[in-house]
Amino acid sequence: DQQVKQNSPSLSVQEGRISILNCDYTNSMFDYFLWYKKYPAEGPTFLISISSIKDKNEDGRFTVFLNKSAKHLSLHIVPSQPGDSAVYFCAASASGSARQLTFGSGTQLTVLP
Amino acid sequence: SQTIHQWPATLVQPVGSPLSLECTVEGTSNPNLYWYRQAAGRGLQLLFYSVGIGQISSEVPQNLSASRPQDRQFILSSKKLLLSDSGFYLCAWSVGSGSRSEQFFGPGTRLTVL
């Protein structure tokens, strides 16, 4: 049973436009969410996180939105750049399950020049 | 600054052979340490985590084991590899005792079992 789902395995966006990556979760106990970026043959790099007490967190070109009622979060990248092309993973954790992250299956983002 | 090392970067092993992957962290004390596996086309699956020397928690039943002989060293082992053990193995670290802490990943080891 996948508790964190990224239903789009791939996404292509033109350079300069907005990229929107989506993630859904089923476990209502999750209260902390993270996005990671991964290049081939490298470890994931932490991008941005959000606590369940917020509905938006922004860091430069990256903004994460959280809709708790829908159990949905999204990552917006604007403007998109070719260097953003990578696999993006969302992850979630719950208080009390300390130290465990549950990852989605990832979305391959391709930013076209 | 903190850095995390994993080796080897790539490994090709025959079925039934042993395995030892090593991970070390520099620049921090008493980190939480993790082993993940990414199978082809799939997400990251947590295999083991450790909150201190000699303390190992296993998340999934499997053919692998982990050990933490020193504060900043985490080892993933197997006595006999299976074909299904192929994948990309990632070590990660974090600090703090709560669940709201980012984990930082090493460069990974690509394991192919033939």
Side-chain angles (χ1 to χ4, degrees):
Chain A
D1 175 37
Q2 275 191 294
Q3 297 187 63
V4 179
K5 299 178 184 179
Q6 293 177 257
N7 292 318
S8 297
S10 63
L11 173 69
S12 291
V13 172
Q14 208 68 35
E15 181 178 5
R17 307 294 287 267
I18 185 171
S19 295
I20 300 176
L21 298 115
N22 294 303
C23 180
D24 298 292
Y25 61 95
T26 58
N27 189 341
S28 57
M29 300 302 291
F30 287 147
D31 64 357
Y32 190 63
F33 305 89
L34 308 90
W35 283 95
Y36 284 84
K37 172 182 178 180
K38 184 181 181 299
Y39 294 116
E42 294 184 10
T45 303
F46 169 73
L47 271 179
I48 192 168
S49 61
I50 187 167
S51 165
S52 60
I53 62 174
K54 296 185 176 181
D55 54 19
K56 176 183 174 181
N57 188 26
E58 189 172 354
D59 183 2
R61 296 185 298 115
F62 302 92
T63 303
V64 56
F65 295 92
L66 175 63
N67 182 334
K68 289 191 293 293
S69 61
K71 294 190 177 66
H72 176 83
L73 66 154
S74 60
L75 174 68
H76 292 211
I77 306 173
V78 57
S80 301
Q81 300 173 354
D84 295 328
S85 297
V87 176
Y88 288 78
F89 290 98
C90 68
S93 68
S95 297
S97 71
R99 310 175 192 96
Q100 292 188 42
L101 289 181
T102 302
F103 282 85
S105 55
T107 297
Q108 171 70 56
L109 172 66
T110 302
V111 179
L112 304 168
Chain B
S1 64
Q2 300 87 359
T3 55
I4 180 169
H5 304 279
Q6 278 186 253
W7 63 91
T10 60
L11 191 60
V12 180
Q13 291 283 94
V15 169
S17 64
L19 172 75
S20 181
L21 302 181
E22 190 162 343
C23 170
T24 58
V25 180
E26 295 177 359
T28 186
S29 295
N30 196 31
N32 303 312
L33 295 172
Y34 312 81
W35 279 110
Y36 288 87
R37 176 172 59 204
Q38 183 186 16
R42 305 188 67 178
L44 302 172
Q45 181 186 34
L46 178 63
L47 302 175
F48 301 95
Y49 72 86
S50 170
V51 301
I53 296 175
Q55 301 179 64
I56 309 295
S57 296
S58 174
E59 290 302 302
V60 293
Q62 59 202 301
N63 183 43
L64 302 168
S65 62
S67 62
R68 184 169 177 174
Q70 300 180 43
D71 181 46
R72 289 170 285 180
Q73 184 185 29
F74 206 22
I75 298 173
L76 183 69
S77 304
S78 173
K79 292 182 180 178
K80 288 186 178 181
L81 283 168
L82 306 173
L83 285 174
S84 58
D85 291 325
S86 293
F88 192 52
Y89 287 82
L90 290 155
C91 181
W93 68 273
S94 72
V95 292
S97 57
S99 60
R100 297 183 182 187
S101 58
E102 292 77 22
Q103 295 179 14
F104 301 94
F105 287 82
T109 295
R110 171 72 60 193
L111 172 66
T112 303
V113 182
L114 301 174

